[in-house]
Amino acid sequence: MTQRLDYQVISPAGIKSLGGVYAYVAQCGLPASLIELVYLRISQINNCAYCLDMHTRTLIEKGETPQKLALVQAWAEAGPVFTARETAALAWAETVTRVAQTNVPDSAYEAARSVFDEKELVDLTIAISLMNAYNRMAISFRNTPQESRVRQASAG
C-alpha cells in the first residue's frame, strides 16, 4: 500500500484541530485504557490498518495482554475478560460507529447510561466520533502502519 498524500503536511491546521479534540478526550476523565480499547474496536470495524497498529501498540505499552487484545473483536462473547464499563463502552462504540445501520436504538442508549453518567457518555461519544474521523483520514489517504514501515526498512 502506498500513501496517497500526507494530509498532516497538506492541512496542518485541520489536523491540529482534530488534535485538540484528541487532547480533550485524553483529559476528560475517562480511563485512558478504556478509550484505547474503544479506539481499537472502532478501527477494527472500519478496517483501519494504520490505527489498528497504533492502538494495539499503545495498549500493549499500557500493560494490556495480547490475549485480551485478541478478544476485543469478540468482546460480547469474552465473558469476564472485559469489565462492565469496558463492555458498555465497546457496545456503545459499535452502535455509534455503525449509526447508518443501527440508528443508535434506545436500548443501546439505556445500556450505556446504566454504566456512564451523562458527561462520560458525551465524552465517550466524542472519542468515538473522533476515531471514526481519524480512521476515515488514514484509510482514504492510505496511511501505512508503523509495522509495515518497520518491515520495509528491515527488508531493504
Side-chain angles (χ1 to χ4, degrees), residues 2 14 16-17 23-24 31 33 39 42 45 58 67-68 79 86 89 100 104 106 112 117 123 132 148 153 155:
T2 304
K16 183 178 180 183
S17 295
Y24 170 77
S33 60
Y39 286 168
I42 293 164
I45 293 166
T58 300
Q67 293 80 9
K68 182 173 182 175
E86 289 170 341
V104 190
D106 289 342
D117 68 30
D123 289 342
N132 275 288
S148 177

Side-chain angles (χ1 to χ4, degrees), residues 20-30 35 39 123 126-128 130:
V21 177
Y22 185 85
Y24 170 77
V25 170
Q27 64 77 46
C28 74
L30 290 169
I35 294 296
Y39 286 168
D123 289 342
I126 290 169
I128 293 164
L130 175 67

Side-chain angles (χ1 to χ4, degrees), residues 68-83:
K68 182 173 182 175
L69 298 184
L71 292 171
V72 169
Q73 187 168 349
W75 61 266
E77 291 82 36
V81 172
F82 298 97
T83 68

Side-chain angles (χ1 to χ4, degrees), residues 2-149:
T2 304
Q3 187 174 15
R4 290 177 171 163
L5 56 81
D6 187 345
Y7 53 85
Q8 295 179 34
V9 171
I10 294 168
S11 185
I15 298 306
K16 183 178 180 183
S17 295
L18 285 175
V21 177
Y22 185 85
Y24 170 77
V25 170
Q27 64 77 46
C28 74
L30 290 169
S33 60
L34 179 118
I35 294 296
E36 286 294 332
L37 284 172
V38 165
Y39 286 168
L40 180 63
R41 182 63 190 127
I42 293 164
S43 297
Q44 288 173 337
I45 293 166
N46 291 327
N47 203 33
C48 182
Y50 177 82
C51 294
L52 284 167
D53 181 70
M54 178 174 47
H55 298 298
T56 299
R57 288 172 187 276
T58 300
L59 283 159
I60 289 170
E61 288 171 8
K62 291 183 180 295
E64 291 293 353
T65 65
Q67 293 80 9
K68 182 173 182 175
L69 298 184
L71 292 171
V72 169
Q73 187 168 349
W75 61 266
E77 291 82 36
V81 172
F82 298 97
T83 68
R85 284 174 61 88
E86 289 170 341
T87 299
L90 292 166
W92 186 247
E94 285 196 13
T95 196
V96 171
T97 296
R98 294 180 169 138
V99 65
Q101 292 83 32
T102 69
N103 200 31
V104 190
D106 289 342
S107 59
Y109 171 77
E110 291 161 9
R113 275 292 284 131
S114 73
V115 177
F116 296 105
D117 68 30
E118 289 179 347
K119 182 180 181 311
E120 289 174 327
L121 190 57
V122 169
D123 289 342
L124 180 59
T125 307
I126 290 169
I128 293 164
S129 302
L130 175 67
M131 187 47 48
N132 275 288
Y134 275 134
N135 284 174
R136 280 147 180 79
M137 295 296 289
I139 293 166
S140 297
F141 299 117
R142 305 290 191 256
N143 255 13
T144 55
Q146 180 180 338
E147 183 64 18
S148 177
R149 293 189 305 270

